[in-house]
Amino acid sequence: MGASSNITEDLIEGCIGPGGGRLDKTLAEASGLSRERVKALLGDGRVTLDGKSATQASLKVSEGTPFTIRVPAAVPAEAVAQDIPLNVVFEDEYLIVIDKPAGLVVHPAAGNLDGTLVNALLHHCRGQLSGIGGVARPGIVHRIDKDTSGLLVVAKTDRAHEGLAAQFADHSIERAYKAIVGGHPLPITGTVTGAIGRSSSNRKKMAIVEEGRGKHAVTHYRTIERLRNAALVECRLETGRTHQVRVHMSSIGHPLLGDPVYGRTPSALRPILQRLQFSRQALHAAELGFIHPVKKEKVHFVSPVPADMAALIDELQN
């Protein structure tokens, strides 16, 4: 098939060529990008069809349908090692568990080309990280948001990477987050189920979407403590989707305090957050458990809430 396309600095526009067909295949043929690259751009919400966001690679599209692909700025082919302090919770020759501070980006991307966890790991591990994640994401099996703190496991060998990835895929990894949410959830314990995908109105946001368009997601929450106009909750993930806790808690009317994307902090609490200079989502990856991918032993790690969240909890207890 063919397509007419106009390639600018970071925009590919055109029309689906003769015959149409599966979206990822037709876009690859029309744009000159690889099929895997197209799938990644679909997943990042960077593709529109006839002006509407498209994320499903298997979608059938018709000949002549106009498309736009927004291609992000290129990042360096290989991250550089940087001497950035790390809080290492566990390390052996196969993997390393890090307690990440809020504010640290996990891997290089446009806008954050250095100063990331990957840059720090390349220095700490002297380049000995699994290559499965590619040169920009060596060893990265999963990630947590820049402004979320807590536990993260990184693979140092391909064998460890494959074993960990399999556990993430079958949802056998144990993950628990501590979050401070607005209001008091009722019931005090519950389960939120809702597929998560790119928002059709804002490609930078995730949203609960109809089943089949996004990825199935399940969050089990329980209230640990009622606070003033807020609550400390534990969220255990049955699945691990982008922004899952933030999207799910917001969907039931209890967004995370300080979250600039998915919620509004109750007006009574805004002066407190301003006084404490608390300017991130109140979310901490507190527990991480899995079967060691090589030694086959059960390992489990716990991280206490960091000082900024502890101070906010203390303030809201009084």
Side-chain angles (χ1 to χ4, degrees), residues 24-273:
D24 57 347
K25 182 175 183 292
T26 57
L27 283 180
E29 293 172 345
S31 66
L33 299 171
S34 72
R35 197 161 169 179
E36 289 305 310
R37 180 65 167 142
V38 167
K39 286 181 180 178
L41 291 167
L42 283 165
D44 287 342
R46 294 183 172 275
V47 177
T48 61
L49 285 177
D50 204 10
K52 297 180 180 178
S53 178
T55 59
Q56 192 174 348
S58 60
L59 181 71
K60 298 295 190 245
V61 289
S62 302
E63 175 182 338
T65 304
F67 68 83
T68 300
I69 306 174
R70 296 175 58 86
V71 182
V75 298
E78 187 169 353
V80 297
Q82 292 178 301
D83 188 2
I84 300 169
L86 289 173
N87 183 3
V88 178
V89 175
F90 171 85
E91 182 176 11
D92 63 13
E93 62 267 45
Y94 306 107
L95 56 86
I96 181 170
V97 177
I98 301 294
D99 196 340
K100 186 188 84 69
L104 181 64
V105 175
V106 171
H107 56 69
N112 292 101
L113 300 181
D114 59 8
T116 72
L117 178 64
V118 163
N119 298 114
L121 287 166
L122 287 169
H123 178 273
H124 178 87
C125 299
R126 291 170 175 77
Q128 300 303 305
L129 294 170
S130 165
I132 291 177
V135 292
R137 305 183 184 189
I140 300 301
V141 186
H142 68 125
R143 66 180 185 179
I144 54 181
D145 297 336
K146 171 187 175 183
D147 289 325
T148 297
S149 54
L151 297 168
L152 187 83
V153 60
V154 177
K156 296 171 73 173
T157 69
D158 287 357
R159 181 182 176 191
H161 197 130
E162 290 167 350
L164 289 168
Q167 293 180 64
F168 276 101
D170 66 20
H171 310 309
S172 60
I173 296 279
E174 182 181 0
R175 280 177 291 175
Y177 286 75
K178 297 286 179 63
I180 308 171
V181 302
H184 302 132
L186 286 176
I188 60 172
T189 64
T191 297
V192 185
T193 302
I196 293 177
R198 290 282 170 185
S199 167
S200 58
S201 59
N202 184 343
R203 65 182 182 83
K204 294 184 178 180
K205 291 180 64 173
M206 307 303 288
I208 291 184
V209 298
E210 62 272 16
E211 291 286 346
R213 186 166 84 79
K215 294 182 178 180
H216 178 67
V218 180
T219 303
H220 305 284
Y221 75 86
R222 70 178 180 92
T223 300
I224 298 173
E225 182 179 359
R226 282 171 62 97
L227 304 169
R228 177 159 37 104
N229 297 311
L232 174 63
V233 300
E234 176 189 81
C235 294
R236 290 192 174 268
L237 303 190
E238 192 171 305
T239 55
R241 308 306 183 199
T242 302
H243 298 177
Q244 179 172 321
V245 172
R246 299 165 67 187
V247 171
H248 273 176
M249 294 310 295
S250 179
S251 76
I252 61 171
H254 299 284
L256 276 58
L257 296 192
D259 193 330
V261 178
Y262 296 103
R264 183 183 295 273
T265 298
S267 56
L269 300 182
R270 289 176 204 160
I272 295 173
L273 268 64

